């Protein structure tokens, strides 16, 4: 060969959009493509970006293979760079074209480091290092560096995972996936958005349940809309006073995924006090009899996709109708920092339905949710108020049940709001929203 390396610039067209957005498939394909060509793989680093797109590189002893994808165009740009004569990059090209289900590809080969233009200098390699490096063969494995990224316009959360996707299915409503992350254990995502992880799910589920249960001690019947991961009903069923807990989840794949890969969260699905219904929560509420439930928890995803209808005034009015005279509605109410416009709008809606003095906001720290600060709403149809609760009973319960986040002090402290949150709730307005939101407003 009359050059040090061969560099093929590749464009794959009409690829499978799903495969172009699948970081696990792409990482595996790139590694195998390198190995098939006879390369020695050192490590791989890949990132998936939300809502779509994958970037990554496989470092080989003979140089590298790199990629970036545009799933919305079914397109991938790939670099295949190999040094020496032992590796044929065209073998990798052929393998990837098939792996990505590309309709066609184009390529251009460059010879890198033309020997006729170079002058070789001999030097003593041993003098440049104190210890010889360990070889890949001695280690017996490559280093894999595969990342999931939930990215919005101005912020992103990246979590490293094992590279082996535990669950991936498409329902009529959304894509349900489970990744094995290194920092937070198994993680459930819906349409590329983080829903819960093994190591921090308890924050969300303890705060959405125990705050109302210790503030509304007469509650006997509870309804959960959404919450197919099972964490909310798991916490509710710790309370013996509840005679009936009904969970209405629209997507049975969420339940399936969590039973398989987040069993600690989904542990209560076999409880005899649980009435599990796979159906549309909006339709269920519309058909529900007046005054049936003492407590209704809206455990919804973000206001997109199947969760969008759970963020409307019409829906909350129906929830109000289904509550007993002293009933309470609890919702996850987004992050005051992440999308301040939605935060302000939904609290204005709650107050119009339940009354200005009957709606309370409280906060919790959830590190895998956008900005790390998440809010919940407490809306009372009657005289129940979240700051009037039995501290001793809450303390005893927290200790006996081995809770990881909720206790009597957290219960009260969660309602101590930062000034910027108070300002958003009291004033609202476009200038206030723009001052605090990390996301651009559409208004």
């Amino acid at each position: 060969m009359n050059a040090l390396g061969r560099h093929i610039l590749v464009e794959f067209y009409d690829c499978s959009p799903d495969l172009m957005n699948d970081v696990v498939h792409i990482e595996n394909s790139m590694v195998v493509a390198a190995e098939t060509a006879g390369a020695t793989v050192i490590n791989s680093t890949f990132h998936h970006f939300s809502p779509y797109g994958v970037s990554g590189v496989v470092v080989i002893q003979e140089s590298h293979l790199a990629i970036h994808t545009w799933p919305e165009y079914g397109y991938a740009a790939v670099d295949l760079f190999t040094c020496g004569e032992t590796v044929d990059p065209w073998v990798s090209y052929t393998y990837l074209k098939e792996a990505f289900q590309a309709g066609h590809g184009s390529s251009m080969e460059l010879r890198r480091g033309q020997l006729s233009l170079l002058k070789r200098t001999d030097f003593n390699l041993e003098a440049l290092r104190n210890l010889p490096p360990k070889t890949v063969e001695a280690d017996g494995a490559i280093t894999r560096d595969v990342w999931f990224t939930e990215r919005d316009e101005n912020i992103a959360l990246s979590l490293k995972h094992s590279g082996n996707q535990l669950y991936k299915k498409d329902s009529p409503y959304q894509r349900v996936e489970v990744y094995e992350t290194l920092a937070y254990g198994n993680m459930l995502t819906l349409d590329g958005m983080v829903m819960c992880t093994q190591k921090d799910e308890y924050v969300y589920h303890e705060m959405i349940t125990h705050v109302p249960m210790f503030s509304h001690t007469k509650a006997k019947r509870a309804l959960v809309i959404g919450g197919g991961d099972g964490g909310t009903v798991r916490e509710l069923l710790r309370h013996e006073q509840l005679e009936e807990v009904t969970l209405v989840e629209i997507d049975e794949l969420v339940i399936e995924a969590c039973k398989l890969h987040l069993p600690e969260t989904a542990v209560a699905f076999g409880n005899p006090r649980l009435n599990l219904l796979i159906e549309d929560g909006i339709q269920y509420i519309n058909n529900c009899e007046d005054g049936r439930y003492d407590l209704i928890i809206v455990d919804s995803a973000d206001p997109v996709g199947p969760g969008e209808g759970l963020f409307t005034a019409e829906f909350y009015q129906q929830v109000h109708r289904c509550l007993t005279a002293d009933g309470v509605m609890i919702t996850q109410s987004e992050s005051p920092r992440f999308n301040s416009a939605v935060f302000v709008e939904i609290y204005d809606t709650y107050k119009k339905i339940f009354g200005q003095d009957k709606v309370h906001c409280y906060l919790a720290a959830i590190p895998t949710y956008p900005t790390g600060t998440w809010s919940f709403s407490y809306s009372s149809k009657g005289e129940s108020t979240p700051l009037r609760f039995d501290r001793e009973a809450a303390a005893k319960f927290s200790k006996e049940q081995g809770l990881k986040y909720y206790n009597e002090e957290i219960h009260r402290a969660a309602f101590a709001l930062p000034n910027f949150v108070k300002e958003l709730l009291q004033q609202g307005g476009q200038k206030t929203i723009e001052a605090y939101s990390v996301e651009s407003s559409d208004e």
Side-chain angles (χ1 to χ4, degrees), residues 119-387:
K119 181 179 180 180
R120 183 182 178 89
T121 301
D122 293 324
F123 58 90
N124 185 353
L125 181 62
E126 293 300 323
L128 300 179
R129 60 192 182 199
N130 295 322
L131 294 173
K134 291 196 297 182
T135 65
V136 175
E137 291 81 3
D139 289 338
I142 69 171
T143 300
R144 301 180 74 182
D145 196 14
V146 188
W147 293 77
F148 168 91
T149 298
E150 180 181 336
R151 182 179 65 182
D152 290 271
E153 187 172 344
N154 297 326
I155 63 173
L157 167 72
S158 289
L159 293 174
K160 188 175 179 180
H161 61 85
S162 66
N164 299 316
Q165 193 165 13
L166 302 177
Y167 188 97
K168 179 182 178 181
K169 289 186 180 181
D170 289 330
S171 76
Y173 311 103
Q174 58 206 345
R175 172 162 290 179
V176 182
E177 298 174 282
V178 179
Y179 296 88
E180 182 184 26
T181 74
L182 278 64
Y184 288 97
N186 293 351
M187 173 181 71
L188 171 71
T189 71
L190 301 180
D191 284 339
M193 295 182 288
V194 178
M195 293 295 109
C196 66
T197 75
Q198 286 181 309
K199 289 194 176 181
D200 74 350
E201 55 86 10
Y202 58 83
V203 181
Y204 179 96
H205 294 126
E206 290 181 13
M207 291 302 286
I208 204 171
T209 54
H210 302 313
V211 168
M213 287 304 299
F214 281 103
S215 306
H216 187 30
T217 56
K218 295 180 180 179
K220 300 297 182 184
R221 288 180 172 178
L223 169 67
V224 180
I225 302 293
D229 54 62
T232 296
V233 295
R234 178 196 65 197
E235 296 303 315
L236 282 176
L237 289 165
R238 294 181 188 271
H239 295 269
E240 296 297 330
Q241 75 186 63
L242 286 175
E243 298 172 356
E244 176 190 328
V245 176
T246 298
L247 172 64
V248 181
E249 166 61 51
I250 195 171
D251 194 343
E252 61 184 340
L253 290 190
V254 176
I255 297 173
E256 177 184 89
C258 293
K259 283 183 175 180
L260 291 171
H261 301 294
L262 287 92
E264 307 90 345
T265 308
V267 69
F269 282 120
N271 192 298
R273 285 188 291 153
L274 177 63
N275 177 29
L276 175 60
L277 303 174
I278 308 298
E279 59 181 271
D280 186 344
I282 298 173
Q283 184 177 348
Y284 180 87
I285 282 290
N286 289 340
N287 296 332
C288 179
E289 64 189 83
D290 293 356
R292 174 167 176 79
Y293 291 103
D294 304 297
L295 172 63
I296 297 179
I297 297 177
V298 184
D299 185 1
S300 61
D302 293 332
V304 293
E308 186 173 5
L310 303 179
F311 284 76
T312 65
E314 293 77 14
F315 174 74
Y316 297 126
Q317 287 169 346
Q318 291 296 321
V319 171
H320 183 274
R321 177 185 61 79
C322 297
L323 287 170
T324 57
D326 196 32
V328 170
M329 179 186 77
I330 304 292
T331 74
Q332 72 85 4
S333 48
E334 300 293 299
S335 166
R337 261 303 174 202
F338 176 59
N339 192 331
S340 302
V342 172
F343 176 77
V344 168
E345 181 181 356
I346 58 179
Y347 272 91
D348 285 344
T349 301
Y350 298 155
K351 290 174 183 178
K352 290 176 183 177
I353 296 171
F354 286 86
Q356 289 289 327
D357 299 328
K358 299 295 185 69
V359 177
H360 307 268
C361 174
Y362 62 105
L363 305 177
I366 306 177
T368 54
Y369 282 9
T371 74
T373 299
W374 212 250
S375 75
F376 302 88
S377 74
Y378 184 110
S379 301
S380 177
K381 191 173 179 179
E383 300 304 317
S384 173
T385 176
L387 293 180

